[in-house]
Amino acid sequence: MKVETKCIHEGYKPQNGAPLALPIYQSTTYTYDSTEHIGKLFDLQADGHMYSRISNPTVAYVEEKIAALEGGVAAVCMTSGQTASFLSLFNILGVGDSFLCSSRIYGGTINLFSVTMKRMGIECIYFDDDMSDAEIEALIKSNTKAIFAESLANPALSVLDIRRIADLAHKHGMPLIVDNTFPTPILCRPLEHGADIVIHSTTKYMDGHAVQVGGVVVDGGSFDWAKNGYTCLSEPDESYHGVIYTESFGKAAYATKLRTQLIRDLGTYPPASAAFLLDLGLQSLAVRMEKHSSNALAAAKFLKQHDMIESVSYPGLEGDKYYDLAKKYLPNGSSGVVSLTIKGGKTNAVKFMDALKLAKNVVHVATVHTCVLHPASETHRQLTDEQLLAAGINPGMIRLSVGIENIDDIIEDLKNGLAQCE
């Protein structure tokens, strides 16, 4: 099946006489005929659901769908994109380890990596995407165990050269973890370009309607954990009677450990009702991403020629710094987010945003509604001036999340907002 068809038909497959819609299995508990069978569940020797803190049938169907969309072997849903970022790394890192991370990532993730994970004894080492291979390699230490980056950065909108960074990671025996939230698997599938793990904040385009928070980690199944010395996966786990994930679960070793160890212990699994809503969003994902992308390109072209605009960043815009990379990795559209800087700095940025009528001023992005946000004073306000610049943010920057309304109405709203700045 093509990806558009997978959005509807992967995951839950109704049998004869079964409901067409994905059922909500609103239960924490599952019954079995024998204690022996339950024992096998806890020993990871039988398939089935132990408890909804670890897995649930409704959520499992959605996990199957997302894994199919990304081309992975397994997916694990969780309660937020931040949780996905954290657990994707914590699944293979511990006290005394380090990882490399692109400086062009979401502000909340920077705080997670630089502050919270630092308290856990895990070091985050930042690199700039424009560095040469040699400059990035110079940052790698003997305890560096992963590279993390966003395929399309929030809000800088830089496009990651996935193949280059993947090759660099593999050269040093490390996996590449890519946050693919903005493109979604409709526009980019990082696993096809060498990435090993893909994560999403499903709160964004996958949900698409601003109704529930969630995250997911997709295991590509291609990285050889045993060969590269990841003993947490290739040596006995005493918390599961000595199971060796790489031997017992093969290509799905990473996802299995993530679910049965971290999701079990930390309790970050989503409820069935949230997965049901996410599945509804996924069914229309392909249609929406096409519309988001075409609307965003039209809005970017309009803004580019306006006298009050200092700069516009949108990788699908000809002449953009990342246009060539977008053609390579995002050939079917560059998603729906545009970054713009208005002349006059923060003062005019606020005037513009407050004057908009159709576009909503919200702390969110990637929904069917057109939305605006001022990163420096809102989502990224905890960053220092140096960190803001490293993330590609200046005080006048506005993040415009272009919705799926009629493009004429969107542009008219932008015109009216800009008129207040003249």
Side-chain angles (χ1 to χ4, degrees), residues 356-370:
L356 297 172
K357 302 299 182 184
L358 182 146
K360 307 303 180 185
N361 193 340
V362 300
V363 185
H364 190 50
V365 67
T367 173
V368 291
H369 305 84
T370 293

Side-chain angles (χ1 to χ4, degrees), residues 340-358:
L340 60 132
T341 302
I342 295 180
K343 293 176 182 177
K346 182 177 179 180
T347 300
N348 271 347
V350 171
K351 284 183 180 179
F352 166 74
M353 291 172 63
D354 288 348
L356 297 172
K357 302 299 182 184
L358 182 146

Side-chain angles (χ1 to χ4, degrees), residues 235-287:
E235 292 186 0
D237 179 358
E238 298 308 323
S239 71
Y240 269 115
H241 311 291
V243 65
I244 299 175
Y245 295 103
T246 51
E247 292 184 2
S248 297
F249 302 100
K251 291 184 176 181
Y254 174 95
T256 303
K257 177 182 179 294
L258 173 61
R259 179 187 304 279
T260 59
Q261 190 185 83
L262 296 184
I263 297 294
R264 172 199 66 178
D265 291 351
L266 300 177
T268 57
Y269 204 62
S273 55
F276 174 82
L277 293 172
L278 175 57
D279 189 63
L280 291 179
L282 290 170
Q283 290 180 36
S284 64
L285 182 62
V287 179

